[in-house]
Amino acid sequence: MQDELIARAKAWLAEDPDAETRDELAKLIEAGDVTELAARFSGTLQFGTAGLRGELGAGPMRMNRSVVIRAAAGLAAYLSAKGQTGGLVVIGYDARHKSADFARDTAAVMIGAGLRAAVLPRPLPTPVLAYAIRHLGAVAGVEVTASHNPPRDNGYKVYLGDGSQIVPPADAEIAAEIDAVRALADVPRPDSGWETLGEEVLDAYLARTDAVLAEGSPRTARTVYTAMHGVGKDVLLAAFARAGFPEPVLVAEQAEPDPDFPTVAFPNPEEPGAMDLAFAAARAAEPDLIVANDPDADRCAVAVKDGADWRMLRGDEVGALLAEHLVRRGARGVFAESIVSSSLLGRIAEGAGLPYEETLTGFKWIARVEGLRYGYEEALGYCVDPDGVRDKDGITAALLITELASELKERGRTLLDLLDDIAVAYGLHATDQLSVRVEDLSVIANAMRRLREQPPTELAGLAITKAEDLTKGTDTLPPTDGLRYTLDGARVIVRPSGTEPKLKCYLEVVVPVGDHAGLPAAHAKAAELLTAIKRDLSAAAGI
């Protein structure tokens, strides 16, 4: 067994095109580090609906040039099999370690396979790539990014020509083509032949961002902005300047791209501590709101002054604010969200006489809703211009929420005031999340099995009126690994994360509110219920 492992590692080493990972793997082989070699050669990094994502390093279970070349060759073979030979593949990348290398390798593989390839001019936000696919008439797009994952990770996200991320069965068909790649020497990789795009594609994207704002709307709200060490700063500043907003005050320590993300444990605005520097900057600058992007700028976080200090708004709160803003501006079309997001969006759509749809988790599903006008997901993802970007876009979402803050400011009001109005109109929809990060993935599998075998009958004293195992699908949803519980005045969804080693539980309670005077009591009741649901669900799942 050990000899076979060493032989596999040596075979991988012999064809690895990257001096850095070759050196790393050679040292592991020389040291006879069987434990580490087994972890890297226990299988292959699986290509799924999120494409690829994993830790950087040598071996088939890590992200590296060998894995990326195979993935690109599989995608190229898939496109050729679909009659797309000669079509354009556009490639974007973030500022993480190895991203530029992976983008260049992808371009070379596409050229070698008889396709055309164009690479964005430098590290840019993911929504610029999603926009460029349709703008340039590409047959596919690749974004090299691990979004808000830890610094040691990178990833590979695939879009088809409609500008949205792949969904089944395309993911399985591409995976089969990747598996069919034998030796890397069989994959032609010329040294040139692809195009490096100029600024025109970014200019076209920025011109499109203007369209999300209402002509003549107030543009007075002042912001503090953090790019979270990612690639959002220059594009967001350009978009805000074009729109005529005051120039954002930058969180200087996090403004420039840095693949080591030195000021945060996890470069995700939702993670504890990630926004601390932004809050400090806001205490000094006293803006109207804080705006944050994640490192590839497809997500947008918003924080507001609440009493004496600042707090992050939940993704569901921003989702409702943007929906209400669009409704008041007369938006028409379908409002959509994933099942893990607040049911409040459905109430707002119903109140405005607009169609509403629920999808599985992920923008790959939301973006495919026919007639989509607005889509959001609680994990800080908002699609406010689906005709331009069929994916979440942290730049246009930042513009739209700042426009709303400006309109409210002109009337002496705030985003929190509007949230109160929404609660009185539709009931207080309070959401929370129980999220468990694990080292051992069996913890997640055991928790899901326990909930299936011994399902709870009540949580927080509320009877469960309906329990659904989503692996069987529903009338409106295809199968997915998850559980949904409907309670009297609450809802809980439990699912393994698709991109991180986490078990995620999404909680929502709805408390009726008669008037503004009843809001404090409603908030207190909602907080009490959410705490009790968390406690009881943890016990039921054994986590």
Side-chain angles (χ1 to χ4, degrees):
M1 191 68 169
Q2 187 172 327
D3 290 347
E4 185 194 330
L5 181 62
I6 297 288
R8 285 216 312 277
K10 284 181 174 175
W12 185 274
L13 178 66
E15 64 171 18
D16 188 342
D18 189 317
E20 200 174 319
T21 46
R22 272 202 315 273
D23 184 52
E24 178 189 317
L25 185 54
K27 284 176 178 167
L28 290 174
I29 294 168
E30 191 180 336
D33 191 339
V34 177
T35 305
E36 185 62 26
L37 287 171
R40 291 162 183 253
F41 287 86
S42 58
T44 56
L45 209 54
Q46 288 304 297
F47 186 92
T49 47
L52 293 168
R53 200 176 287 189
E55 190 176 340
L56 289 161
M61 288 294 287
R62 298 286 184 267
M63 281 296 296
N64 51 64
R65 289 183 60 200
S66 297
V67 164
V68 164
I69 289 165
R70 289 171 182 277
L75 173 60
Y78 167 85
L79 293 171
S80 297
K82 297 290 181 187
Q84 305 282 15
T85 305
L88 174 68
V89 178
V90 61
I91 302 150
Y93 59 103
D94 66 12
R96 284 177 178 265
H97 293 295
K98 298 288 184 185
S99 286
D101 294 340
F102 295 167
R104 199 179 309 109
D105 282 330
T106 300
V109 170
M110 295 304 154
I111 297 299
L115 290 136
R116 292 180 294 127
V119 183
L120 293 185
R122 60 181 177 282
L124 286 167
T126 293
V128 177
L129 180 276
Y131 168 79
I133 294 165
R134 298 176 72 209
H135 176 65
L136 298 172
V139 298
V142 171
E143 177 69 18
V144 180
T145 182
S147 191
H148 55 273
N149 275 38
R152 64 178 182 272
D153 289 1
N154 212 328
Y156 198 81
K157 191 183 287 190
V158 176
Y159 299 74
L160 292 181
D162 62 356
S164 27
Q165 296 173 51
I166 53 168
V167 294
D171 57 342
E173 292 173 17
I174 295 169
E177 296 286 6
I178 294 169
D179 290 343
V181 177
R182 294 290 166 244
L184 281 195
D186 298 341
V187 181
R189 283 181 293 130
D191 293 331
S192 62
W194 59 89
E195 179 187 0
T196 300
L197 295 165
E199 295 302 306
E200 302 80 21
V201 69
L202 180 58
D203 292 343
Y205 167 81
L206 285 168
R208 179 86 206 181
T209 63
D210 300 347
V212 305
L213 303 175
E215 199 173 330
S217 62
R219 312 278 166 96
T220 54
R222 295 178 306 108
T223 55
V224 158
Y225 171 71
T226 175
M228 206 65 68
H229 298 296
V231 298
K233 181 197 72 167
D234 291 346
V235 178
L236 182 128
L237 290 181
F240 269 55
R242 288 178 66 102
F245 287 114
E247 184 175 350
V249 173
L250 298 178
V251 178
E253 302 94 328
Q254 298 175 333
E256 299 303 326
D258 187 331
D260 294 319
F261 305 103
T263 68
V264 288
F266 290 96
N268 178 355
E270 291 180 298
E271 293 283 350
M275 294 288 285
D276 287 356
L277 288 170
F279 292 156
R283 290 181 199 113
E286 298 191 338
D288 298 298
L289 72 163
I290 299 171
V291 171
N293 287 137
D294 67 337
D296 69 326
D298 62 351
R299 287 174 171 80
C300 176
V302 179
V304 294
K305 188 83 176 285
D306 188 3
D309 209 354
W310 289 80
R311 79 165 174 94
M312 273 268 290
L313 293 180
R314 291 193 164 276
D316 285 317
E317 291 177 307
V318 177
L321 287 167
L322 291 175
E324 188 74 5
H325 184 42
L326 288 168
V327 162
R328 291 180 182 196
R329 275 186 21 190
R332 311 308 297 166
V334 181
F335 278 28
E337 64 181 341
S338 62
I339 56 171
V340 298
S341 305
S342 171
S343 59
L344 177 55
L345 184 69
R347 305 270 174 93
I348 292 172
E350 184 184 15
L354 294 174
Y356 162 79
E357 278 195 37
E358 259 191 339
T359 74
L360 292 184
T361 310
F363 263 83
K364 58 183 177 279
W365 298 107
I366 295 170
R368 283 184 156 71
V369 169
E370 202 167 323
L372 181 68
R373 175 59 188 87
Y374 169 62
Y376 98 90
E377 189 155 72
E378 58 74 43
L380 312 183
Y382 314 94
C383 175
V384 300
D385 177 25
D387 290 341
V389 176
R390 288 198 182 170
D391 199 1
K392 53 190 177 291
D393 183 346
I395 306 296
T396 48
L399 288 170
L400 201 62
I401 197 72
T402 308
E403 178 186 59
L404 173 59
S406 299
E407 289 187 1
L408 291 166
K409 182 181 181 179
E410 297 295 293
R411 304 203 301 271
R413 307 188 78 230
T414 67
L415 294 173
L416 291 179
D417 293 331
L418 181 53
L419 280 172
D420 286 347
D421 293 350
I422 291 170
V424 171
Y426 303 106
L428 176 65
H429 290 61
T431 57
D432 202 354
Q433 197 180 118
L434 173 62
S435 183
V436 183
R437 185 181 290 274
V438 301
E439 291 292 326
D440 180 1
L441 289 175
S442 69
V443 173
I444 294 174
N446 290 339
M448 295 298 287
R449 186 173 64 247
R450 180 168 167 157
L451 287 170
R452 285 188 170 107
E453 290 174 357
Q454 304 165 47
T457 55
E458 65 169 40
L459 295 169
L462 303 174
I464 292 176
T465 56
K466 188 178 183 183
E468 297 167 278
D469 187 340
L470 299 176
T471 52
K472 297 164 184 170
T474 71
D475 292 345
T476 55
L477 297 170
T480 188
D481 186 10
L483 299 163
R484 177 163 61 180
Y485 302 113
T486 305
L487 299 86
D488 187 17
R491 183 214 66 197
V492 172
I493 291 171
V494 184
R495 61 178 282 272
S497 168
T499 55
E500 297 177 272
K502 279 183 175 182
L503 181 68
K504 290 187 166 184
C505 310
Y506 304 85
L507 325 175
E508 178 175 45
V509 298
V510 183
V511 181
V513 187
D515 53 29
H516 281 75
L519 280 167
H523 279 287
K525 183 178 180 185
E528 183 186 317
L529 282 171
L530 287 168
T531 300
I533 290 172
K534 268 189 185 180
R535 179 196 64 221
D536 293 354
L537 186 61
S538 293
I543 52 172

